[in-house]
Amino acid sequence: MSSAAHGPVNGGISFWFADDGLPAVREPLTGDASADVVIVGGGYTGLWTAYYLKKAAPFLRITVLEQRFCGYGASGRNGGWLYNGVAGRDRYARLHGHEAAVRLQRAMNDTVDEVIRAAAEEGVDAGVHRGGVLEVARTPAQLARLKAFHEHELSYGEKDRELYGARETAERVRVAGAVGATWTPHGARLHPGKLVKGLAAAAEALGVTLHESTPVTEIRPKHAVTPYGTVRAPYVLRCTEGFTASLKGQRRTWLPMNSSMIATEPLTDEQWAAVGWAGRETLGDMAHAYMYAQRTADGRIALGGRGVPYRFGSRTDHDGRTQEATVEALREILVGFFPALAGVRIEHAWSGVLGVPRDWCATVTLDRATGLGWAGGYVGSGVATANLAARTLRDLVQLDSGQSGPTELTGLPWVGHKVRKWEPEPLRWLGVQGMYATYRTADRRELLTPSARSSRLARLADRVAGRH
């Protein structure tokens, strides 16, 4: 790793691959081919879909096409939060009724268990520690939002969630200024790189064909087009999340939102004693421009948040390099939470993109007329959601092909959900930049006032974004 004199390693995809090593790249496609199912994207969604489909129907010829290597995108760059959050639940409750949204939430709760179970069954050591999810409040306005959030989660059937005051919060993690927290057991910390590499190996061992260094430039019914040839299949499943905009005709489908992370050097026993965090919960907060963090298996803190939220024209980065101002802003969050770590060295910084639909709702769809399917739009909650989406895609393909009937998953309210496209440029760049500037201003105002009311600026930004 780097020395203090040279600063952090910046980019190189992510700390997770710097820690565990880049995988040996698999062979690209070498010409036209055929399959029963072709999956575009070698991240969590695509790999889990291939894995579950092949387990359910071993006779299927399944091909996965990945533009770089499996885990190159969000699956290898995220914060390692395996938890039960799902984007769009409240909207689904309004559209389909509260009980439908409760079924979706219940399925997400179960998904945390399923990922841990499947990884163990396949012998994938992903550094999983099931400590739950702790979200803290540090201002009166954050505390009011936290209490409302806690009650809201209870209304969706999460009866094992707990609410803490300042003292109980400090007994778990000593976050400076924390006045309360909410905790759910439906969460775990993991090492994203090890999970995605192990999942790719497990799918390949089942007989799934994986082609890396094979960018798909266009998807159309029964065809996935690449520079090296076209793969023809009755089912073509798009699992490209934040990289969807690079496909022909998909520029405005999902917005690639940028998120950035830092990882510290390993902390000493004395530093951990000052921080607490013995339960290794994943840690978040109730700020409008929120942070997320974990205590890694090798004793670091990996912490993330928004940096430059969006690049003009839906562009994505190549190697995860992060602006110095963003690295410093994340360091300020770290030290603000844990003043005892003011002298700690930041050893790695990186960025990645997540997929954001215009209505902020994750979706799973299979068009039975064309055989085209897709899943994604996880808005940063994809580590677990991708697994549920993949099992749902499996069931939809089996239903359409006559291999099975409807299941609980095919009846979930996110199946077949339609959403309008994002605005053309420069409107979407101006809108996203303005939205996050407003959220940051709202957070600063709340830090300076004793009011328990959330900033009106944040409510305005929510309306503009279409989040409520």
Side-chain angles (χ1 to χ4, degrees):
M1 281 294 183
S2 66
S3 68
H6 294 94
V9 174
N10 196 329
I13 311 303
S14 72
F15 161 74
W16 309 117
F17 284 119
D19 175 57
D20 196 53
L22 290 172
V25 178
R26 297 170 175 88
E27 291 297 314
L29 185 70
T30 56
D32 291 345
S34 64
D36 297 311
V37 180
V38 60
I39 295 169
V40 181
Y44 291 148
T45 306
L47 292 172
W48 278 124
T49 301
Y51 172 83
Y52 285 116
L53 262 174
K54 193 68 173 175
K55 293 268 282 190
F59 57 85
L60 287 176
R61 296 172 302 142
I62 301 172
T63 296
V64 176
L65 303 175
E66 164 55 42
Q67 69 165 335
R68 289 289 296 277
F69 59 82
C70 291
Y72 172 77
S75 299
R77 309 190 195 202
N78 63 82
W81 274 44
L82 176 71
Y83 86 119
N84 66 340
V86 58
R89 184 192 60 190
D90 289 352
R91 189 179 296 272
Y92 289 131
R94 292 194 294 271
L95 291 173
H96 301 279
H98 183 73
E99 182 51 39
V102 169
R103 287 191 288 109
L104 179 60
Q105 184 60 66
R106 193 179 302 124
M108 278 304 309
N109 296 349
D110 293 342
T111 295
V112 175
D113 299 326
E114 171 60 17
V115 172
I116 295 171
R117 183 206 64 78
E121 180 179 286
E122 296 299 335
V124 178
D125 181 5
V128 174
H129 181 89
R130 187 158 191 167
V133 182
L134 186 74
E135 292 171 276
V136 301
R138 301 176 67 217
T139 69
Q142 286 186 21
L143 183 61
R145 285 198 298 275
L146 181 136
K147 289 178 176 177
F149 168 73
H150 177 83
E151 292 301 319
H152 199 54
E153 296 306 295
L154 294 182
S155 76
Y156 284 99
E158 199 177 325
K159 302 306 182 187
D160 42 7
R161 177 174 286 272
E162 298 176 3
L163 184 66
Y164 302 140
R167 179 182 58 79
E168 294 165 304
T169 301
E171 288 172 356
R172 283 187 172 266
V173 187
R174 284 189 276 283
V175 173
V179 291
T182 181
W183 176 84
T184 175
H186 300 291
R189 170 213 76 192
L190 56 75
H191 188 298
K194 291 182 178 180
L195 177 61
V196 75
K197 287 199 290 187
L199 180 55
E204 202 166 38
L206 289 172
V208 172
T209 299
L210 302 181
H211 288 300
E212 297 180 323
S213 302
T214 305
V216 173
T217 55
E218 182 182 1
I219 293 173
R220 58 178 187 263
K222 298 180 173 57
H223 297 75
V225 181
T226 85
Y228 308 116
T230 297
V231 182
R232 292 169 174 81
Y235 298 100
V236 183
L237 308 180
R238 190 187 79 222
C239 304
T240 46
E241 190 57 357
F243 290 84
T244 300
S246 64
L247 291 165
K248 183 178 180 180
Q250 303 293 334
R251 176 73 66 184
R252 292 163 53 198
T253 299
W254 290 333
L255 185 140
M257 187 79 74
N258 198 56
S259 198
S260 301
M261 293 196 71
I262 57 174
T264 69
E265 63 185 327
L267 271 57
T268 65
D269 290 345
E270 291 76 15
Q271 287 170 323
W272 281 122
V275 169
W277 213 344
R280 293 166 173 77
E281 303 89 345
T282 56
L283 178 67
D285 74 350
M286 299 303 293
H288 299 294
Y290 53 85
M291 59 76 73
Y292 52 94
Q294 68 150 284
R295 176 175 174 169
T296 68
D298 64 345
R300 306 168 191 268
I301 293 177
L303 180 148
R306 293 289 178 269
V308 176
Y310 171 70
R311 292 178 172 84
F312 189 89
S314 293
R315 293 194 302 270
T316 56
D317 73 87
H318 296 293
D319 68 351
R321 186 162 183 83
T322 302
Q323 288 190 346
E324 292 300 327
T326 299
V327 177
E328 185 55 36
L330 293 174
R331 181 189 176 83
E332 288 177 5
I333 293 173
L334 173 72
V335 175
F337 271 56
F338 305 116
L341 303 184
V344 76
R345 191 167 70 245
I346 306 302
E347 288 201 335
H348 211 118
W350 71 98
S351 295
V353 293
L354 48 102
V356 181
R358 189 61 183 87
D359 65 356
W360 300 70
C361 289
T363 56
V364 184
T365 297
L366 180 66
D367 184 340
R368 304 186 72 170
T370 63
L372 296 178
W374 56 89
Y378 304 133
V379 196
S381 299
V383 179
T385 314
N387 177 279
L388 179 60
R391 287 182 285 127
T392 306
L393 275 177
R394 171 202 62 193
D395 289 2
L396 288 170
V397 168
Q398 290 202 284
L399 174 64
D400 184 72
S401 61
Q403 296 172 34
S404 69
T407 68
E408 287 186 14
L409 300 188
T410 61
L412 291 175
W414 67 344
V415 172
H417 177 73
K418 292 180 173 61
V419 59
R420 67 184 174 92
K421 292 182 179 294
W422 282 88
E423 290 77 2
E425 296 290 21
L427 293 178
R428 69 176 178 273
W429 185 87
L430 291 169
V432 176
Q433 298 293 331
M435 176 181 70
Y436 273 99
T438 303
Y439 282 143
R440 286 191 287 267
T441 300
D443 285 330
R444 285 194 295 270
R445 288 190 178 183
E446 289 179 6
L447 282 170
L448 298 174
T449 177
S451 173
R453 287 179 58 83
S454 291
S455 169
R456 281 180 288 185
L457 284 174
R459 295 198 293 274
L460 173 63
D462 282 343
R463 285 197 293 272
V464 170
R467 298 178 78 165
H468 295 293

